[in-house]
Structures are given as C-alpha cells and as structure tokens.
Amino acid sequence: MGKIGLVIDSTSSIDLKEATKRGIGYIPLVISIDGVDKKSGVDITIDELYKRMENRDVKISTSLPLGEDIEKAFDNALLKYEKVIYIGLSKKFSGAHNAIVNFIKQDKYEGKVFVYDTKWSAPWTGLHLDEIIDLTKTEKNVEDIFKKLDLPLPWMIGYMSPKDTYWFYKGGRITRVQYLASNFLKVLPILTVKDGEIDQKSVIKMRTVKKTMIKMCGLMNDKVDKLKEMKIPFTLLSLKSENDENNKLMIETIIEFFKVEKKDIISLELSTEQTAHLGPGSFGLSLFVPIKGLVKK
C-alpha cells in the first residue's frame, strides 16, 4: 500500500480518462444543460459544451459534485493509500471545497483524507499536476506537501476577459441594460484572478479585443520582470475557452509584447466549469511557475 494518494476534481481541466491514466482519483462537478445534468469530465467534453453554447438560448449552470462520486473517489483511493489529499478549485470560486470538507468529517475519513486549502484555479492545477503527483511520492507527510503547494501562490495571477458579456448576463452577473450597453460600445472587462478569487475592485474595461490583450500584458509585466530579476523559471500562459481567432491573437500579442517565441508559450484550455460562466471565445493571460524552481536548495 502506498503512503499518500491524490484526488482532484473536474475543475482541474483534467478529465476522468486522463486522471485514471495518471493513477489519481477524480471527482466530477455537475453541469446542467437545459435541465439535464452532466458530469463534467465524464459524460460531457469541452467541445460538446462549445457546441451546445452555439445556441445562446441554452440554459447552463454548474453545481456541486454528487455525494456518491465523492465517496467513491476517496474510498477507492484509500484502498491503495494510507492517506489521501484532495486538491480542487479555490473555495472562493467554488462551493465544492467546503462541500468536501464537510463530507470527510465522517469517522471513516478521520486522519486519512486531507483537503488542501487551495487558492488555485483550473490552469494552475492542471499544469502543476505532475509536480503534485511527484510530491505525493517523495514527501513523507501531508504537511510538507501542503507547504510546497503554497510556494507558487505569490505568482498565481491571471487576467481573463469574455469574448462578449452575453454569458455574464445569462448567469446574472450583470443586468440586461449593462449587457446591451457593453455590447453596443464593444467594451470588454478584464477580470483579475488572484488570492483564489476574482478581485472585484480591479475590474478594468477596455475597448476592442486587441487593446484588452495589450492591457493584460502590461498588467503582467511587473511580475515577469520580477521573475527574471530573481532568476525564477516561468512560462507565459495564453488562456482560452475555444481554439478560435482570439486565442491566436492572444499568442501574437504575447510574442510582440514580451519578445518571446511561440514555442515558449503554453496555450491552455479552461475547464468546462469556467467556460460555462465565461462563454466560448474567452481569453486570458497567466503565468506558470514550477514548484521545483521555488524550492530552496
């Protein structure tokens, strides 16, 4: 029996097939499409979601994982490992974190299942997954794993913008009047993701997609300069919720602004949960700073 196992959920941008291939447990969140529940990463793919969202009248919402799926993931993991850690989306983004914290209060999980109080979002969880798996194999206790998972937090910042604000309106985040005004004026919001949540005080509104992307690069520039100064390895991320013209333009903008090559940029697809809220064609900019580059030798 192994010492420490890992369970993730569908907000990691990893599907069940990939999780199984890597030997880790998987908990799917639920996406409701026109009243029909689908398990994210299990019986609906991101491409299928894009297809359904071509109909702008479709009704889409996300909800917590089923108790039976949570129990199955942890019970199966405990057959193979003495202890199990769960890493999901930041609790400020999703209620899944607190739901699982409450679920594992059962006696059978006491001292065996541990929940990392993450401030991560989907892009980072997926990219750090190999490092996390390695930590479960090399570290002797859960506390040491959690300490190392905390190391990238100061660099976990992302800037996101929707293709248009329609899905914000559909999700109740803005009013119809705000949606019509932003659509008419072609105004796009830049959402700042840091400390495990969207910073509501730092929403920036820009005109045109290109200007929005340039602004994102400008906002990220200080972080990039600091990483270079500290000689910490990093990679720029072009975030996408569809492989469309916006993704291509985001990559071109990163190349122009930061003077890097295309091969040095990771183009990363958002999770089905994020796309359900932002809509197809959303784009963004983030950083990937490997944990191994932050560990003091």
Side-chain angles (χ1 to χ4, degrees):
M1 178 177 283
K3 190 169 182 62
I4 302 175
L6 174 65
V7 172
I8 61 171
D9 64 33
S10 56
T11 64
S12 62
S13 292
I14 302 296
D15 61 18
L16 175 61
K17 183 178 179 180
E18 181 66 19
T20 302
K21 180 181 176 181
R22 299 198 192 193
I24 56 180
Y26 190 81
I27 299 173
L29 272 67
V30 176
I31 295 182
S32 178
I33 304 176
D34 284 336
V36 178
D37 289 344
K38 303 281 189 179
K39 293 182 182 181
S40 178
V42 178
D43 49 27
I44 183 169
T45 66
I46 189 68
D47 288 334
E48 289 169 342
L49 183 61
Y50 294 149
K51 188 68 176 177
R52 295 299 299 272
M53 293 179 84
E54 288 177 3
N55 173 13
R56 287 163 78 89
D57 292 327
V58 69
K59 295 179 180 179
I60 296 178
S61 62
T62 59
S63 58
L64 302 178
L66 301 177
E68 61 193 54
D69 288 329
I70 299 173
E71 186 170 35
K72 179 180 178 181
F74 290 137
D75 286 357
N76 286 344
L78 287 172
L79 293 175
K80 298 184 289 184
Y81 299 97
E82 296 175 15
K83 296 179 180 180
V84 175
I85 62 173
Y86 162 75
I87 300 177
L89 195 62
S90 166
K91 62 185 177 184
K92 297 178 181 178
F93 276 125
S94 170
H97 177 96
N98 288 334
I100 290 175
V101 167
N102 289 325
F103 191 90
I104 65 169
K105 289 179 180 178
Q106 300 177 57
D107 290 343
K108 67 177 180 176
Y109 298 130
E110 186 176 356
K112 297 179 181 179
V113 177
F114 302 83
V115 177
Y116 176 56
D117 190 8
T118 178
K119 293 182 180 178
W120 294 16
S121 184
W124 300 310
T125 304
L127 282 174
H128 283 288
L129 193 54
D130 284 337
E131 289 189 300
I132 298 170
I133 292 172
D134 286 344
L135 288 175
T136 64
K137 295 176 180 178
T138 58
E139 296 297 326
K140 295 181 179 180
N141 56 67
V142 172
E143 292 75 15
D144 289 340
I145 293 176
F146 285 179
K147 286 178 183 179
K148 288 189 176 179
L149 294 180
D150 284 343
L151 293 176
L153 291 179
W155 309 105
M156 286 183 167
I157 187 166
Y159 302 103
M160 288 296 304
S161 184
K163 188 173 185 177
D164 62 51
T165 56
Y166 180 75
W167 296 101
F168 280 15
Y169 161 58
K170 283 289 293 282
R173 292 172 181 79
I174 60 174
T175 66
R176 178 174 174 79
V177 172
Q178 289 173 317
Y179 162 63
L180 292 173
S182 65
N183 192 47
F184 177 75
L185 297 172
K186 299 188 184 302
V187 174
L188 295 176
I190 296 177
L191 308 177
T192 301
V193 179
K194 64 178 182 179
D195 298 324
E197 63 183 333
I198 294 176
D199 186 350
Q200 300 292 345
K201 296 181 180 179
S202 63
V203 178
I204 301 170
K205 296 179 180 179
M206 300 295 295
R207 300 284 288 272
T208 79
V209 169
K210 181 66 175 181
K211 288 182 179 179
T212 302
M213 292 176 176
I214 293 173
K215 182 65 175 179
M216 288 178 178
C217 291
L219 293 169
M220 188 65 77
N221 197 45
D222 285 346
K223 287 279 187 184
V224 169
D225 285 345
K226 189 67 175 178
L227 285 165
K228 289 179 179 178
E229 179 186 333
M230 298 175 68
K231 297 182 179 180
I232 296 173
F234 69 94
T235 305
L236 288 160
L237 307 179
S238 173
L239 306 177
K240 62 176 183 176
S241 66
E242 198 170 16
N243 193 24
D244 65 355
E245 291 303 315
N246 280 353
N247 180 52
K248 295 176 183 177
L249 185 58
M250 185 76 249
I251 292 174
E252 291 173 4
T253 305
I254 294 171
I255 291 171
E256 293 169 3
F257 190 96
F258 293 105
K259 310 301 180 187
V260 295
E261 296 183 33
K262 187 175 181 178
K263 65 179 179 62
D264 299 320
I265 302 168
I266 295 176
S267 181
L268 193 65
E269 196 159 46
L270 299 177
S271 67
T272 50
E273 291 83 358
Q274 289 177 306
T275 298
H277 293 294
L278 287 168
S282 299
F283 57 92
L285 174 66
S286 187
L287 290 167
F288 170 57
V289 181
I291 294 172
K292 62 183 180 181
L294 298 168
V295 176
K296 294 182 179 179
K297 298 179 180 179

